[in-house]
Amino acid sequence: QAQLVESGGGDVQTGGSLRLSCAIDAHTYNSAYYMGWFRQGPGKQREGVAAIATDGGRTTYGEFVKGRFAVSVDNTNNTLYLQMDSLVPEDTAMYYCATGVAKIWPPPLRSPVYYYWGQGTQVTVSS
């Protein structure tokens, strides 16, 4: 059974930073073609934040990111990261990591093409 475990969420003030981690079991990690971060705020639909090819070469970001976030992978410990800087209250949401196995390029931000999901980590940004 796939295991994706997010960590690193928390409460920060506007302008602060957080680094989210997603620890993935080896089988799920090695079978992935791309990985991504999604978020769902209160009363909002889930939206794609960032996606990355498993070799770490190509990335895709949601328009709202505007250079504030950086997605990366560490293939030595099967971990996906999301560095978030210049956080604003609108970034408040539950953040989820996910992996996909379909041959889709570039790494997509559409949640239906992701197969395995973590349970989420809460990010709250106060003004």
Side-chain angles (χ1 to χ4, degrees):
Q1 184 174 355
Q3 291 189 335
L4 295 81
V5 180
E6 300 96 336
S7 62
D11 297 340
V12 294
Q13 292 186 330
T14 298
S17 298
L18 285 172
R19 188 191 195 202
L20 305 184
S21 299
C22 176
I24 305 171
D25 71 276
H27 177 74
T28 303
Y29 192 93
N30 292 328
S31 65
Y33 193 67
Y34 46 83
M35 303 177 188
W37 287 97
F38 294 81
R39 71 184 188 182
Q40 187 165 14
K44 298 181 179 179
Q45 291 187 336
R46 184 173 294 185
E47 60 182 349
V49 178
I52 187 169
T54 51
D55 65 358
R58 175 69 184 263
T59 57
T60 310
Y61 292 94
E63 291 186 1
F64 59 86
V65 170
K66 298 180 180 179
R68 301 179 297 131
F69 300 172
V71 61
S72 61
V73 294
D74 185 341
N75 292 326
T76 63
N77 64 9
N78 302 338
T79 303
L80 172 70
Y81 298 99
L82 182 68
Q83 176 67 41
M84 303 189 295
D85 299 318
S86 301
L87 286 161
V88 296
E90 292 74 20
D91 295 318
T92 295
M94 185 71 80
Y95 283 71
Y96 301 90
C97 62
T99 68
V101 300
K103 296 298 190 288
I104 298 174
W105 190 262
L109 290 176
R110 307 181 318 252
S111 58
V113 302
Y114 283 79
Y115 194 76
Y116 297 109
W117 291 80
Q119 294 301 306
T121 185
Q122 178 68 37
V123 172
T124 303
V125 185
S126 59
S127 58

